[in-house]
Amino acid sequence: PYGFLPFKVYKEIIPRNAKEIYVLTESLMSSQDSANVPNQKACVAITEALLTYLSNHYMNATVGLRRGSSGEAFYQLAHSSIMISPPSSFGFFAGLAQPDSHDVYLPETHLIASGNNVFIHHHFHWMPFPKIVQFGYYLADHDNKIDVEAFLKMLMSDEQ
């Protein structure tokens, strides 16, 4: 994605009586390949923090993580009853594949549909663009290491 949604966005959209909530992410790189992905540890920390955040706010729901291929993730997104995605063409096209009885939430952005709130169907919701949190703002030094604590603090803030 082109950044991360603040965690409060999920709390604002997911119904309090949700029974199952799944976070979809890419598969992790092997430790041998992860040297080429300097932010993998930060991504793991963000995913774990989001799972904890959702578990704390939805105590009666099963909150889980699903990692897999792009094809598996696309299928799961396209068949979920509620889909929430940061701005990405991947999320947008999975949303288009949704039946028009399922709710899709994407941020308004010039990156997708020129930010013009294009009507898709009655259950396709353009969210007023929340502040997207990107790694670039939290680089701790010139080695591209993320200040994970500062990044997580911003994601978990309710004041955005």
Side-chain angles (χ1 to χ4, degrees):
Y2 298 102
F4 296 84
L5 293 172
F7 292 177
K8 73 174 188 167
V9 170
Y10 302 101
K11 186 174 70 170
E12 292 169 358
I13 295 172
I14 299 170
R16 293 293 309 153
N17 63 347
K19 300 278 187 243
E20 295 180 327
I21 302 168
Y22 291 99
V23 174
L24 305 179
T25 69
E26 295 178 7
S27 295
L28 293 175
M29 303 293 250
S30 69
S31 59
Q32 182 178 16
D33 295 333
S34 67
N36 299 325
V37 185
N39 297 325
Q40 180 166 296
K41 287 182 182 177
C43 289
V44 169
I46 292 164
T47 301
E48 289 172 358
L50 178 57
L51 291 169
T52 300
Y53 181 89
L54 292 170
S55 294
N56 289 340
H57 284 88
Y58 298 93
M59 291 187 223
N60 294 323
T62 298
V63 176
L65 172 65
R66 291 188 175 164
R67 295 190 190 279
S69 70
S70 297
E72 292 167 330
F74 189 89
Y75 179 86
Q76 290 169 350
L77 286 171
H79 290 86
S80 60
S81 58
I82 297 175
M83 186 195 100
I84 305 167
S85 176
S88 78
S89 55
F90 186 84
F92 176 70
F93 286 109
L96 288 178
Q98 283 264 7
D100 66 1
S101 61
H102 293 192
D103 287 307
V104 175
Y105 293 87
L106 282 164
E108 297 172 356
T109 173
H110 68 280
L111 299 170
I112 302 169
S114 299
N116 291 327
N117 291 332
V118 174
F119 178 79
I120 309 293
H121 57 69
H122 291 290
H123 294 275
F124 201 105
H125 310 280
W126 293 105
M127 296 183 283
F129 198 70
K131 184 173 185 175
I132 300 298
V133 184
Q134 297 175 315
F135 279 150
Y137 298 117
Y138 292 90
L139 294 176
D141 54 36
H142 297 290
D143 293 330
N144 286 332
K145 293 187 178 157
I146 301 299
D147 181 347
V148 177
E149 286 185 32
F151 196 78
L152 287 173
K153 184 176 180 181
M154 184 64 156
L155 284 172
M156 291 189 271
S157 172
D158 281 337
E159 297 179 15
Q160 298 178 40

